Amino acid sequence: MAKKAKGGNNPLKSFDKWANTVPDTAKIIGDAVQAAAPILDKALDRNYEKEKNRISIPNVLDLDLLEGKELLEKLGFLVTVTLVKPDKKYSTARDNEIVDMIPKSGRVDKGSVIKLYYVTQEIIDSSNLDVPIPNLLGLSITEAREHLKDLGLKPAYELLKAEARWANQQVNTVLDMEPKVSLFSSTVVKGSILKLKYIDEATLEESRKLAQAAAKKQLDLGQLVGRIPNFLPQNKQE
């Protein structure tokens, strides 16, 4: 019979040996936190410095343009100004009043751009007047321009792309306009822009080619349809 080893296996000694080899979790976490602390501190410092250089945007709406611009520039902002177009909502505004700004609120870096929008008395006067939208279709560009001028409106021009439907139209004639009278709108504010759409010689020539090609295609299709009965089986008479 084999002899037992002296002392045998001692469970307590085995556990102590295993426990001594297990890392101290608390110590590892503590070391990791300690190592990360400088990085976290630097990030917090950067955020603090960045936030310290940010300033709140004051609301300068309804102020005089020069007053609002001066206030923003003293705070370190760069300011741009834009004159708005006539609109009914400006009919009760004051001359040189700030009616809009971008951005309107929040905290931004010093040196950020603030856009101010303002009105003049001319814009206010134009905002108080509605003008019926004229029908300028068929007029020459010159006639249409003069008519708009008499109404206190401004023309803009758009050269149309070639289309078959323009093949029989006149060059430099108003073929379409924007805006035009509709169920939803029949007037515009005085000073508004109306777009006059027309064709020139090159566009007319290209439109005629497109019309000819469309006519030929339709003719070829008609001839093909006319030949279909010839390909159908004929009923023999008894």
Side-chain angles (χ1 to χ4, degrees):
M1 177 181 288
K3 293 182 179 181
K4 292 183 178 179
K6 279 188 176 183
N9 292 327
N10 190 332
L12 291 177
K13 288 183 177 181
S14 298
F15 176 79
D16 289 341
K17 184 178 181 181
W18 172 81
N20 289 332
T21 62
V22 176
D24 188 340
T25 304
K27 183 176 184 304
I28 292 176
I29 294 176
D31 292 344
V33 171
Q34 188 174 2
I39 299 175
L40 181 61
D41 289 341
K42 288 182 180 179
L44 291 174
D45 289 342
R46 285 196 299 269
N47 287 337
Y48 173 76
E49 289 298 326
K50 184 177 180 181
E51 189 61 28
K52 188 173 67 173
N53 290 326
R54 294 169 72 87
I55 51 179
S56 296
I57 302 173
N59 183 1
V60 297
L61 292 177
D62 303 330
L63 294 183
D64 179 82
L65 177 63
L66 294 180
E67 181 183 354
K69 185 173 182 291
E70 183 178 358
L71 173 61
L72 292 172
E73 289 177 341
K74 282 183 177 180
L75 292 174
F77 293 109
L78 297 177
V79 181
T80 65
V81 298
T82 302
L83 182 64
V84 299
K85 296 179 180 179
D87 193 288
K88 290 180 181 179
K89 62 184 177 182
Y90 303 135
S91 61
T92 58
R94 305 183 313 275
D95 187 23
N96 287 323
E97 179 182 340
I98 298 171
V99 293
D100 198 4
M101 58 184 292
I102 298 177
K104 290 184 174 65
S105 61
R107 290 177 62 83
V108 296
D109 294 334
K110 290 180 181 179
S112 296
V113 176
I114 307 295
K115 299 179 181 179
L116 299 181
Y117 298 85
Y118 72 103
V119 295
T120 61
Q121 191 59 49
E122 182 181 359
I123 296 297
I124 297 169
D125 293 340
S126 299
S127 299
N128 284 313
L129 297 176
D130 283 341
V131 178
I133 300 175
N135 182 7
L136 305 176
L137 300 180
L139 295 182
S140 69
I141 291 295
T142 301
E143 293 172 329
R145 181 176 63 242
E146 293 301 318
H147 191 55
L148 290 178
K149 183 179 179 180
D150 292 340
L151 293 174
L153 301 174
K154 301 175 182 178
Y157 309 98
E158 179 181 333
L159 181 62
L160 293 167
K161 294 181 180 179
E163 294 185 36
R165 59 175 172 159
W166 309 134
N168 296 318
Q169 299 296 334
Q170 299 292 323
V171 299
N172 297 323
T173 298
V174 180
L175 301 180
D176 198 2
M177 52 185 289
E178 185 182 330
K180 52 189 173 185
V181 177
S182 67
L183 293 175
F184 307 100
S185 178
S186 60
T187 63
V188 291
V189 175
K190 189 174 182 179
S192 296
I193 295 175
L194 266 68
K195 186 180 293 185
L196 307 177
K197 303 181 181 183
Y198 69 103
I199 59 173
D200 58 9
E201 291 287 354
T203 307
L204 176 61
E205 183 64 26
E206 186 63 28
S207 296
R208 287 174 176 171
K209 291 179 181 178
L210 292 174
Q212 291 171 0
K216 184 177 184 304
K217 184 176 180 180
Q218 186 175 8
L219 178 62
D220 292 343
L221 181 60
Q223 292 175 346
L224 179 61
V225 171
R227 293 174 183 172
I228 289 178
N230 297 331
F231 299 101
L232 297 177
Q234 300 294 328
N235 292 329
K236 296 182 179 180
Q237 296 182 354
E238 294 181 357

